[in-house]
Amino acid sequence: MAESASRRTSMVEIGRNAAISMLIGVAFFFLIFIVRQELWGFLLALYGAVAGLATYAFSHSLDVAIGDRIRRRHLVPDRLVGVPLYFAAGIAALLVTTAGLEALGLMPFHLTGRDLRLALVISGVVSIVVGLLFYSFHVMRQRLRESIERIKEQEFAEKELQLARSIQKRLLPPEFLSGEGYCINARNLAAQVVAGDFYDVFHHSDGALGIVVADVSGKGIGASLIMASVKAVLPLIAEGRKPAATLTELNRKLHGELAPREFVALAYARFEPRTGTLELTNAGLPDPYLLRQGGGVEPLSLSGPRLPLGTRSQVAYESMLLTLQPGERLLLLTDGLPEAPTSAGGQLGYEALAHLVTAAANEPGELLDVLFASVRSASQPTLDDDWTALLIQAIAVS
């Protein structure tokens, strides 16, 4: 269908150019004989129209047969390729038209040898000018057509990205979750349309919660696809396993599936709401923060390997066991926050982030909203990396 439409467009363009050439031929002959108006009439118009049509036909044929081949070799500038071709086409067209009309007895006047030579030169020059104009218009239309196609492709790509982001958002849990013994708040901001960061909350069969915050290497569609795959498989691997064993198994699986420069930094916590017991494992994310009831903030640094998932085939991760007292909170986050670029050219840094977390914990309002606003104020206005954070708070069980 596209090929048929293109062929129709080409035929319309050729027909339009042929008609314009005929009008130019008529105007040219009437202009030449402006001082001999006794020659004006139907035969002079016929002479000009046939000559214009023949000139376009010859020029177009020579350009397609010879000009395109020369242009592909880039031997001379594209426009100059047509100069000798259009000149030759104009001379040939005038000769053929004159001979044809004389044979049919339709010539409006008799050309002497001197008149014919002069007419041939003028016709060749005019053919060059008209041919270059047509060629310029063709190039302009082609560039316009290509620009329109690029714009359409960009619009389609943007719509696809927006759709991907919409699907990605639906894959993430709601930003606020609560249940007996806990409440969870989370935020996910993408540096590009789709994010490589993600968070997840899922239930184990024994009533415990699986809590995940992760950062996939890279950005865009590729990272989002890895994110979706990890999110789908993690609850299956985590069922019946301790957090450390879960990440060890997930690492083994990802190492066989990811490309050499692909990896997943991930923190995973198994939380039992009724007792407040939380077991935490960290594979490459920044240290989580424990927010005490009195306002103190304590980074939780785990021992053992901290390599992101997928970088090595065998990694024995270790975990940390703690108990969240009612009112205490645990903050998990990705490195987009501490590594946010500042106006001074450096990064925000982990020390500055710890101060912002402490300040946000003592401010009224939702802690994550206050923290994100504080980091944005202290860094450049545009996101250089995805920002993701999750806050779980223990609540007394009645």
Side-chain angles (χ1 to χ4, degrees):
M1 184 177 294
E3 184 178 351
S4 176
S6 177
R7 188 180 297 110
R8 285 196 301 271
T9 302
S10 178
M11 293 301 296
V12 170
E13 183 177 334
I14 291 174
R16 182 176 59 246
N17 291 345
I20 293 173
S21 298
M22 293 172 69
L23 291 175
I24 291 174
V26 172
F28 171 70
F29 274 91
F30 274 80
L31 183 63
I32 291 295
F33 293 101
I34 192 170
V35 296
R36 297 186 60 187
Q37 295 186 4
E38 69 274 11
L39 297 177
W40 286 18
F42 167 73
L43 291 181
L44 186 62
L46 177 65
Y47 191 21
V50 174
L53 179 61
T55 299
Y56 175 71
F58 286 11
S59 298
H60 182 73
S61 300
L62 286 175
D63 205 23
V64 172
I66 301 174
D68 287 347
R69 296 182 182 180
I70 299 176
R71 290 189 183 94
R72 284 196 293 268
R73 297 180 182 179
H74 302 288
L75 300 176
V76 293
D78 287 354
R79 288 190 178 184
L80 296 183
V81 171
V83 170
L85 300 179
Y86 301 150
F87 186 81
I91 292 176
L94 187 62
L95 288 173
V96 170
T97 302
T98 302
L101 292 183
E102 284 184 343
L104 296 172
L106 298 176
M107 272 294 291
F109 51 84
H110 177 70
L111 284 173
T112 65
R114 181 177 177 279
D115 293 337
L116 183 59
R117 287 193 297 272
L118 181 61
L120 290 176
V121 173
I122 295 174
S123 178
V125 172
V126 172
S127 298
I128 291 174
V129 174
V130 175
L132 289 177
L133 284 175
F134 279 145
Y135 177 74
S136 299
F137 292 152
H138 170 74
V139 171
M140 291 172 60
R141 280 193 297 270
Q142 185 64 28
R143 290 177 179 174
L144 179 61
R145 189 178 299 116
E146 291 173 354
S147 298
I148 292 173
E149 289 299 322
R150 284 195 296 269
I151 291 172
K152 288 181 179 179
E153 290 175 359
Q154 291 173 357
E155 289 177 348
F156 178 76
E158 289 175 1
K159 288 180 180 178
E160 290 293 299
L161 286 173
Q162 293 295 340
L163 177 60
R165 180 57 178 167
S166 175
I167 294 173
Q168 187 179 54
K169 284 184 175 181
R170 292 199 295 269
L171 290 175
L172 297 177
E175 291 186 345
F176 178 77
L177 293 169
S178 64
E180 187 178 15
Y182 71 93
C183 70
I184 295 174
N185 281 279
R187 299 292 184 272
N188 174 254
L189 295 181
Q192 297 184 2
V193 180
V194 290
D197 286 8
F198 73 96
Y199 66 91
D200 197 13
V201 179
F202 54 88
H203 293 269
H204 290 281
S205 58
D206 61 359
L209 287 179
I211 302 167
V212 181
V213 170
D215 180 3
V216 179
S217 61
K219 301 179 183 69
I221 292 294
S224 69
L225 292 175
I226 297 174
M227 162 246 159
S229 174
V230 173
K231 183 181 182 302
V233 75
L234 181 55
L236 301 177
I237 294 177
E239 186 62 36
R241 287 188 175 95
K242 296 287 187 179
T246 296
L247 294 200
T248 298
E249 176 61 21
L250 181 59
N251 171 73
R252 185 194 64 77
K253 175 178 172 53
L254 292 178
H255 183 266
E257 297 177 353
L258 299 181
R261 294 184 180 181
E262 294 175 342
F263 58 84
V264 180
L266 185 146
Y268 167 55
R270 191 177 191 278
F271 179 64
E272 297 179 4
R274 299 192 66 83
T275 63
T277 302
L278 186 143
E279 189 171 358
L280 173 68
T281 307
N282 192 352
L285 281 188
D287 289 340
Y289 293 97
L290 178 61
L291 282 65
R292 302 290 186 183
Q293 277 189 300
V297 175
E298 177 186 348
L300 301 178
S301 183
L302 277 72
S303 59
R306 293 279 298 274
L307 292 172
L309 303 172
T311 54
R312 293 184 184 177
S313 59
Q314 298 294 330
V315 180
Y317 292 97
E318 296 182 12
S319 61
M320 170 187 291
L321 191 64
L322 63 148
T323 300
L324 288 184
Q325 300 298 328
E328 291 185 335
R329 294 171 288 181
L330 179 69
L331 174 64
L332 304 171
L333 49 85
T334 60
D335 61 9
L337 291 158
E339 295 179 4
T342 64
S343 56
Q347 295 180 343
L348 178 64
Y350 289 86
E351 183 177 351
L353 179 66
H355 289 303
L356 293 179
V357 172
T358 302
N362 297 316
E363 290 285 339
E366 171 53 45
L367 182 144
L368 294 185
D369 292 335
V370 175
L371 176 61
F372 274 39
S374 300
V375 174
R376 190 176 287 277
S377 298
S379 61
Q380 294 181 3
T382 56
L383 268 65
D384 187 64
D385 195 3
D386 302 332
W387 291 4
T388 301
L390 182 145
L391 186 71
I392 178 169
Q393 178 175 345
I395 298 175
V397 179
S398 57

